[in-house]
Structure formats: C-alpha cells, structure tokens
Amino acid sequence: MSIPNENLVTVNPSGDFSALNNIIELFRNNINTLDDISIEEIHTEKFKLLKKAYAFSKRMHQGQKRVSGEPYLTHPIEVAAIVAGLRMDCASVVSALLHDTVEDTLTTIEDIKSEFGEEVAFIVDGLTKLGKLNFRTSEELEAENIRKMIVAMAKDIRVIIIKLADRLHNLRTLEALPREKQIKIAQETLDIYAPLANRLGIFFIKSELEDLSLKYLNPQAYKDLSFKINKKKTEREKYIEKITDILKGYLEKHNLKAEIYGRPKHFYSIYKKMMEQHVSFEDIYDLLALRIIVDNETECYESLGIVHSIWKPISGRIKDYIAMPKANLYRSLHTTVIGPEGMRVEIQIRTKEMHFIDEYGIAAHWKYKENIRELEKDDLEQFNWLRQLVEYQKDLKDPHEFLDSVKIDLFQEEVYVFTPKGKVIALPKNSTPIDFAYYIHTEIGDKTTGAIVNGVMVPLKYKLSNGDIVEILTKEGHHPSSDWLRYAKSSKAISKIRNYVRQEERELSIATGKENLEKELKKLENKSLDFKELLVLTMQKLSLKTEEELFAGLGYGKYSPQYIFSLVIPNYKKSDKLSLITKTTGNVINKIIQKIKPSSIKNDAIVSSLGDGLLYKLAGCCRPIPGDDIVGFISRGRGVIVHKTDCRNIIGIDESRLISVNWKETSKNKSNLSKVELFETKIRIITDDKKGVLANIASLISAKGANISKAQVRTLIDGRAVHLFDIDVRDNKQAESIIDGIKSIKGVIKVNRVT
C-alpha cells in the first residue's frame, strides 16, 4: 500500500515532534499492512531509520503474542508513541521500537549496533534485563536490573525515559495478567518507577503510574474513589467555571493575560491523603485545583497578590517553588484559598516555560547534540541526586541494601537547607546535621562532632527544617558512631556510616582472631607446624582466600583455635566442631553462652552447620517460625540470633558472622501433640468496621488450633478497622492456613503476617 498524501510528513533538521507522532500513528493503524509503504515516501534520513526500526521489530516479534492475545508488536509501538509524545528525539523513538528485541527474541546487541548504530545499541542495552542465572532470589535479580538501569541512565537519560514509557504501557494493559503478577508489578511501580518519574519531573507519567498501581493494589478503594469523584463531576465543573470567570475578570482589570483551567487531582494523591490523615473522602477539602499560566515571573507574583485580594489564603499553604525550585526542576507558586461558598481551592501560578517543564521534566532539559548525550552543567547541578545515586551504587555491593538505598533516594520528600555561604542543599525529609555533613563530603561527615543551626548549637539528632542555615563542627581523629544510624536519613550518610562501622568491627575481629590463634598455638605440646604453615593448610581446608577471612571468623567465633588444630595437625584429638567452640576459654561463643538468658533460648528447635547444642534466640524483628527460610547471626553477648533470610536487619551484615541454620524435624506422633513447641507470630488484618467481623476472626483462629495471646483493634475514619493478633502456632503451614481462612471471611479486605 502507499501512504495517502495527507499523511506524508517532513521534518526540519532540528526535528519536528508532531511528525514523529504522525509516523507512530501510521504504524499503529497499519500494523499488519505497513510493509508496502515505500521508503521513498518517508522523507529524511531520520524517518527512514524509524521505518527500518519498525520493520526490524515486526520481523523479530513475528508470531509473538501478548498475554492479552494481541500481536506483541502493539507494545513497542505504544511505547514509542509515549516517547514521541514526550518530544524525544528520533533515536529515542527508534530505541523504543526495538527495546524488547534483545530480551525477548534472538537479536543481540551486536545486531542492533550493526543495523542502527552505537547510540541506539547503548540505549537498548540499558533497557535489556539481566538473565536469570546466578541470582539466588528474585529480589536480587530485581536489584541488579535496577542497578544496571541506573548506571545506564546516568550516561544517557533516554534509557530511563523509555523505561518509564514501557512501564506505563504495561500498567495500562495489566488486566491480562494473573492477580499475583498484577500486585507484584503494581507494588514495584509504586516503590521505584513512580518516584523516579517524580524525581525526573515527568508529572503526567508519575500520576498515571500511581493511579494505575492503586487500581490493582486496592481495587475497592480505586472503585470507591472513582464513583465518588465522578458523582460530583458536573457540580465541580460548574464551580471551576464560576471561579475561573471571577479570576479572569480581576486579572484583566490589571492588564494581565492568563490561561486558566481546572486541574483534577489524581486518585492516588487523594487516597494517600486519606490514609496519612486518617480521614474519609468527604473530609478532604482541597479537591479543587486551578492553574494560572502567565508570561513571566513578575506576572506570577502579581497574580498571587490579586488572588489573595479576592479570597483569603489559608495560613501555611503558600509555597514559593519559583524562588526555591524542587529537586526535579519544578517551579510554581502554590496557594490554597477559601473560595466562593467556603470551598477550599488550590491555585498554582506559573509561566508557560515552567508549565512545559512540569509536564515533561528532565525530557525538557535534556540537550541533544551531535554525538553528545551528557547533561549541561546547570542541569547536572539540578539533578545532583542522580549523580549521587550512581556514586552510591558503586559502594553498595549487597543487592538488598542497594534496593533499599534507591527507595530512600527516590521516595522521600525533601527539606531545603542552606550552607553558611547561602548554597541550597536538598535532603530527605527529617534529615539531621549528620545527613548534611555527609552531603558536603564524606570526610566532613566522618569528623563531625556537632552542628550550629541558625546560630544555635544543636544535637546531631536535630531534625532540619526548610530554610535552616547549617554549619558543621569537625575534629581531626573523630570517627562515626553506630548510634548515628538511628538519626541518619539519607542513603549516603547511612551507607558511609555502615561501611565504617562494619570495617571497624571487622578489623577488631581480625586482630582478636589472630591473637587468640597465636596464643593457643603456643600452648600446644609437640606442635608440628609453625604459625605460617598452620594458616596455609587451614585456608586450604576451609577454602578461604585470605588470612583476614580466617582471622575474622575466629574473632567472631565462627571457628575456634581448637577446631583449626583438629583440621590440620596430625594426631590432634578430633572433636565435634560445636563442642570445640563452646568449650574454648575466652572465645566469643563461650562468652555468649555465659551471658545469654536460658529462658529466651529455643535450643531444641534449631540445628546449625555447627551441630547441636548451640544457644539460639529467635529474632523479634522478623519473628521466624518453623517452615520459614532462616539464617543464624553470631551476635556479641546474645547468642546466635535466628532471622528469616529476607529480614531487612541482616541486609549488609558481614557474611562471616552468618551461619547456616535449619529447623529440627518434629515428631509426627499424634500422642505427642500436646508437647509440640509453639511459636508466636503476629498477623495484621484490615476489615470493614462491621459488627461480628472480630468474633468471626477469633472463632476461625481458635478452630484452626491456634491460641490468641494478644489482640488489638483500631477503627479508622474511612469505615475500616485494623486488627493485630499475636497468635501461637506450630509452624508456617498452620499460619498460612489461618491467613487463608481469614481471607474468606466476609468484610476482610487484607491480611498478612507482620515481620
């Protein structure tokens, strides 16, 4: 077929974004027949490349279907349409069309480079997920995929912009997937991608990602909000028209030309406010929002004065993001006023340029030049958080710790403070002088002894507020304390403090372990090895790479000198590894045994790689119960603490202090059921606040053979209730059976184990 004349498009050398959209529309409408378009009918080299990318993607995805049954090609086309709508360049749209070819077909990055050049190949590679080999858990795979994406986006921001477009289209078509996958993808979107879109300032993507995530994470809440908002839509539109007319009249009197229109608040922002403030939909007052678009900054402030001359502003709700922009480049004046009929109305005032940046964020700031993909200097300063995020990932080798760090950096609100010279520093909300010090420089953070805020000496745990002027006091030879982790909020500060504390502990353990081994070796009679030979043979037996690993294991109590001797010294009395450890005078484990309270031990429930008889305590943070995957942590003074393997409190811990532990097999003899040990776990249940629900839950728990040791109920303003039950169970199978049973009770919205 040939393209009708009205669809022929041309572009000027700098690029015509509407033309890109026209081409995508052609692809969309002719998905099965576009092969007949002659390349001569698409003008300019850029569009020849676009047609070539479409044909390549179609050929590679030939025969593939989405879960919905649609041809797979519909996905890359829709992603390319979103990217074109963001006014990105031709290389971005080409990369969007090709973004799944390497991951989902036999295409290689070398194929892409050969056909479309190095620039497109780099972007596609950044968008391609890692293989699933060599990763122990799905969380590790997720963390490493995000790490790869962040490193790539620091070199070329187009990687993340296309990734956001990809995630947006996936959420728009999420109904075709099983419920379990819907929840996983929606939660990941709320945790990572929506905050990332916010950080990049792309508001329309951020808001739609949040709304669609809510739709799948809490369908009932989404349905209720949709109904209540649509119910008053006509009434709301009439009100907006009324105040718009009033505003236009006043602005015209002052010779100000402005565009004024209503802006609907998206569902998730309303839902979030309801949850945070524990109020119902009817108690949310500022559902109405207006935007005033003027020509320059001076007119922004004039318009604000006019608005306040018409309606009374609400104290504390006036925000000047023009003088102090957000970290994502957002600039605007905000005020909330008491409008006609006593209604609260939020009004945003901005220039056309500010509005453009609000819609497109970093996409509006990214400079595309010949073979240059790096941010301009001014833009790089504005997106300092991105540079820091890339720097931190180099230090965070543990994938779980890295993922937590990313969430901290992306998700938290910010506070803006000043250096003594007047430079604005953006930090996570509730940050302390410790965060400020590490933001300035790691050495400053390490040497911090105190802080002066607004001319007054404050403690290091002081929470900084907007506008604070902060000065850090330092001292040579001063070092971070593990206590600082309780006050630090920024990922940089947390990471640097953890690294120092970890290294300090390790160095102490290495020195202690070496000293103990040398001392015990000297006590031996008829020793056949000197110290160096002992080390070489031991490292071979234990498959250790360095002497430091061996000394650290000795210092932490993972090995004892006597156990080492039994491995490598001929005719040395062989003994059980555990008994050697527990009998070693002065050993860390021996001290643990002496100090730990027997009443807190679960000796007969756990076995470890060190054998029976070691003293154990179940962690109170994650509350492991039989059947859970567990790991042991050799603590100082409290025994071996048993955690669930996915517990956040063991993320980043020195692996030399972790040991393999398992649950003992329990007797299946029914006559011994009365003697079966019970374990406490906590479950959290959200229900409708209706009579009889609590009684039904308690009856079911009892019928399942579990004992309720504690129960708490709290009602919410929105007509729901939160129930917390501490129950005694035999294992996780019994706990899961109870949870499944509770889910079937009428009025129950959500139930889960609390860890």
Side-chain angles (χ1 to χ4, degrees):
M1 63 170 278
S2 61
I3 307 177
N5 289 334
E6 62 266 27
N7 286 328
L8 283 175
V9 288
T10 57
V11 290
N12 58 45
S14 63
D16 180 339
F17 301 114
S18 64
L20 281 172
N21 276 311
N22 288 344
I23 288 291
I24 294 299
E25 195 60 36
L26 285 173
F27 292 162
R28 198 187 259 149
N29 294 335
N30 298 281
I31 189 167
N32 294 314
T33 57
L34 198 65
D35 286 336
D36 294 334
I37 295 179
S38 65
I39 206 161
E40 289 75 19
E41 290 179 290
I42 298 181
H43 302 300
T44 80
E45 289 302 316
K46 289 183 179 179
F47 289 123
K48 288 180 182 179
L49 186 65
L50 200 63
K51 164 89 169 18
K52 181 181 177 183
Y54 166 80
F56 185 92
S57 184
K58 182 177 181 181
R59 187 169 69 254
M60 292 299 104
H61 292 297
Q62 187 70 40
Q64 291 183 346
K65 300 276 187 182
R66 304 196 80 207
V67 178
S68 62
E70 295 177 297
Y72 194 89
L73 190 60
T74 57
H75 174 63
I77 287 177
E78 292 303 324
V79 173
I82 295 169
V83 172
L86 280 166
R87 303 191 172 204
M88 300 299 290
D89 66 337
C90 189
S92 299
V93 183
V94 166
S95 300
L97 284 167
L98 301 170
H99 79 275
D100 273 340
T101 53
V102 174
E103 187 175 324
D104 293 334
T105 75
L106 297 177
T107 307
T108 66
I109 290 298
E110 288 303 315
D111 294 334
I112 300 294
K113 188 184 293 184
S114 172
E115 293 288 333
F116 301 97
E118 191 171 337
E119 182 180 19
V120 170
F122 179 86
I123 297 172
V124 172
D125 187 40
L127 291 161
T128 303
K129 290 180 182 177
L130 299 169
K132 295 187 179 180
L133 299 175
N134 302 322
F135 292 101
R136 290 177 295 178
T137 66
S138 59
E139 188 178 16
E140 283 190 15
L141 177 61
E142 176 195 2
E144 293 309 313
N145 276 324
I146 290 169
R147 188 196 298 270
K148 179 187 178 188
M149 181 181 70
I150 286 171
V151 172
M153 85 179 191
K155 295 179 181 177
D156 194 326
I157 202 68
R158 291 173 289 186
V159 169
I160 192 56
I161 292 174
I162 298 168
K163 183 62 183 176
L164 288 173
D166 174 47
R167 179 52 61 113
L168 179 57
H169 184 251
N170 280 334
L171 253 71
R172 285 174 177 174
T173 56
L174 203 59
E175 70 277 354
L177 294 182
R179 176 74 180 138
E180 185 180 335
K181 284 194 174 182
Q182 289 176 347
I183 292 171
K184 181 180 181 296
I185 292 170
Q187 189 61 59
E188 183 185 59
T189 301
L190 269 188
D191 288 345
I192 301 291
Y193 293 100
L196 195 47
N198 180 55
R199 275 291 202 168
L200 296 171
I202 311 174
F203 179 78
F204 88 87
I205 287 184
K206 174 237 181 192
S207 57
E208 190 174 351
L209 287 176
E210 287 179 339
D211 283 354
L212 289 171
S213 295
L214 176 62
K215 179 181 178 181
Y216 291 102
L217 289 173
N218 195 333
Q220 189 58 49
Y222 183 87
K223 186 178 178 182
D224 291 346
L225 275 175
S226 180
F227 174 77
K228 290 173 181 177
I229 289 171
N230 289 329
K231 187 178 179 182
K232 294 188 176 182
K233 184 179 179 182
T234 304
E235 180 184 325
R236 194 166 56 250
E237 287 174 349
K238 286 182 180 178
Y239 186 86
I240 288 174
E241 188 178 340
K242 177 180 179 179
I243 58 177
T244 298
D245 289 342
I246 295 171
L247 267 174
K248 277 185 177 176
Y250 275 89
L251 291 171
E252 285 172 1
K253 283 181 184 178
H254 291 81
N255 298 316
L256 287 176
K257 293 181 180 180
E259 298 174 30
I260 305 173
Y261 61 91
R263 178 185 68 87
K265 290 206 167 185
H266 66 292
F267 288 11
Y268 184 75
S269 66
I270 298 170
Y271 172 79
K272 190 177 176 184
K273 187 172 287 189
M274 288 166 59
M275 293 300 102
E276 289 176 349
Q277 298 179 7
H278 303 294
V279 295
S280 67
F281 176 81
E282 287 70 26
D283 294 324
I284 301 287
Y285 293 107
D286 51 345
L287 290 170
L288 298 173
L290 282 182
R291 280 187 179 144
I292 300 175
I293 313 293
V294 292
D295 288 333
N296 55 59
E297 285 186 20
T298 302
E299 291 182 352
C300 288
Y301 290 100
E302 286 180 25
S303 301
L304 181 66
I306 292 168
V307 169
H308 289 171
S309 72
I310 308 170
W311 301 299
K312 184 178 179 181
I314 296 173
S315 178
R317 297 299 300 271
I318 304 169
K319 296 175 183 177
D320 187 347
Y321 294 119
I322 293 179
M324 195 174 291
K326 290 186 179 182
N328 61 7
L329 309 182
Y330 177 87
R331 301 178 74 212
S332 188
L333 295 176
H334 288 198
T335 184
T336 302
V337 298
I338 305 296
E341 304 166 28
M343 294 281 286
R344 289 190 183 194
V345 183
E346 181 186 328
I347 297 175
Q348 299 173 355
I349 307 169
R350 59 182 64 162
T351 66
K352 292 174 183 176
E353 182 185 358
M354 292 173 194
H355 182 61
F356 178 75
I357 291 171
D358 178 39
E359 289 298 311
Y360 298 104
I362 199 171
H365 277 249
W366 199 252
K367 317 297 186 191
Y368 293 104
K369 298 180 180 178
E370 286 285 328
N371 300 318
I372 294 178
R373 299 195 297 266
E374 299 212 358
L375 279 171
E376 296 290 313
K377 186 177 179 182
D378 292 344
D379 291 340
L380 186 58
E381 183 64 29
Q382 292 284 355
F383 285 93
N384 191 46
W385 63 270
L386 177 55
R387 176 180 59 79
Q388 289 186 349
L389 192 59
V390 175
E391 285 180 5
Y392 304 161
Q393 69 84 26
K394 296 175 185 175
D395 299 328
L396 299 174
K397 303 304 180 188
D398 185 282
H400 306 284
E401 191 173 331
F402 169 70
L403 205 54
D404 278 353
S405 171
V406 170
K407 290 175 183 178
I408 288 171
D409 279 338
L410 294 182
F411 202 68
Q412 290 193 5
E413 295 178 23
E414 292 180 313
V415 60
Y416 298 90
V417 296
F418 295 91
T419 67
K421 293 184 177 180
K423 182 181 178 181
V424 180
I425 302 294
L427 295 169
K429 192 176 180 181
N430 296 324
S431 284
T432 63
I434 293 170
D435 300 291
F436 181 91
Y438 275 103
Y439 181 96
I440 300 301
H441 198 279
T442 299
E443 283 190 20
I444 301 293
D446 287 347
K447 297 174 185 176
T448 296
T449 57
I452 298 173
V453 177
N454 302 327
V456 178
M457 182 79 82
V458 299
L460 291 179
K461 63 182 179 181
Y462 174 84
K463 290 183 180 179
L464 299 174
S465 301
N466 280 326
D468 282 347
I469 301 172
V470 186
E471 183 179 353
I472 298 297
L473 306 176
T474 62
K475 183 179 179 181
E476 286 297 326
H478 192 72
H479 300 295
S481 162
S482 58
D483 289 341
W484 289 7
L485 290 170
R486 290 186 290 163
Y487 316 131
K489 296 296 177 185
S490 65
S491 63
K492 181 176 183 180
I494 292 169
S495 169
K496 296 299 181 183
I497 296 165
R498 274 181 180 164
N499 285 344
Y500 180 84
V501 171
R502 232 180 257 149
Q503 186 60 29
E504 186 180 40
E505 276 195 2
R506 183 173 174 80
E507 288 174 1
L508 178 62
S509 295
I510 289 170
T512 303
K514 183 179 180 182
E515 182 184 344
N516 285 347
L517 187 61
E518 287 178 323
K519 186 167 64 176
E520 293 301 319
L521 182 63
K522 287 177 182 177
K523 291 179 182 178
L524 285 183
E525 297 177 6
N526 303 319
K527 55 179 180 286
S528 57
L529 296 172
D530 63 22
F531 191 65
K532 268 291 179 189
E533 291 172 323
L534 178 70
L535 294 183
V536 171
L537 290 173
T538 303
M539 288 164 58
Q540 289 174 355
K541 287 280 186 180
L542 296 175
S543 299
L544 300 176
K545 294 179 180 178
T546 64
E547 293 178 2
E548 284 75 15
E549 286 183 74
L550 173 59
F551 295 147
L554 283 157
Y556 288 140
K558 189 171 184 177
Y559 315 115
S560 73
Q562 283 74 19
Y563 175 65
I564 299 301
F565 301 153
S566 73
L567 286 177
V568 299
I569 297 178
N571 301 321
Y572 186 85
K573 183 183 176 183
K574 300 283 182 181
S575 300
D576 179 76
K577 184 179 182 181
L578 172 65
S579 63
L580 290 168
I581 291 176
T582 56
K583 290 175 183 175
T584 303
T585 305
N587 189 272
V588 175
I589 294 292
N590 191 47
K591 293 178 182 178
I592 290 171
I593 295 169
Q594 293 171 3
K595 292 181 181 180
I596 197 163
K597 295 180 180 179
S599 60
S600 67
I601 305 300
K602 302 285 186 183
N603 271 354
D604 54 353
I606 307 286
V607 291
S608 80
S609 56
L610 304 183
D612 289 337
L614 195 57
L615 305 181
Y616 303 94
K617 182 178 181 181
L618 299 180
C621 49
C622 55
R623 297 172 180 249
I625 59 178
D628 290 339
D629 292 332
I630 53 175
V631 65
F633 170 66
I634 302 173
S635 70
R636 295 183 182 276
R638 292 185 298 144
V640 175
I641 310 299
V642 178
H643 292 263
K644 291 179 66 179
T645 54
D646 59 356
C647 177
R648 290 180 180 273
N649 285 343
I650 62 167
I651 291 173
I653 280 179
D654 191 324
E655 290 189 2
S656 64
R657 295 179 70 174
L658 297 178
I659 62 171
S660 174
V661 293
N662 295 289
W663 300 100
K664 274 187 179 178
E665 289 291 330
T666 55
S667 172
K668 297 182 181 179
N669 189 336
K670 292 185 179 180
S671 63
N672 291 331
L673 283 179
S674 60
K675 298 179 182 178
V676 172
E677 188 169 9
L678 298 178
F679 299 81
E680 186 178 87
T681 190
K682 186 187 288 287
I683 56 174
R684 179 173 180 265
I685 311 160
I686 301 175
T687 71
D688 294 327
D689 186 16
K690 293 180 180 178
K691 188 182 291 186
V693 174
L694 176 59
N696 290 337
I697 293 172
S699 296
L700 184 136
I701 293 172
S702 178
K704 294 281 186 179
N707 177 56
I708 300 173
S709 57
K710 185 179 179 182
Q712 295 173 280
V713 182
R714 180 167 60 93
T715 57
L716 304 178
I717 298 175
D718 64 353
R720 299 182 305 156
V722 178
H723 310 254
L724 289 174
F725 284 91
D726 288 356
I727 61 175
D728 298 324
V729 296
R730 295 185 300 276
D731 52 33
N732 65 354
K733 286 184 179 178
Q734 187 183 17
E736 287 168 8
S737 175
I738 291 168
I739 289 171
D740 288 342
I742 292 172
K743 286 178 180 177
S744 66
I745 294 175
K746 188 175 181 180
V748 170
I749 299 169
K750 184 179 180 182
V751 56
N752 61 282
R753 266 179 71 191
V754 177
T755 58

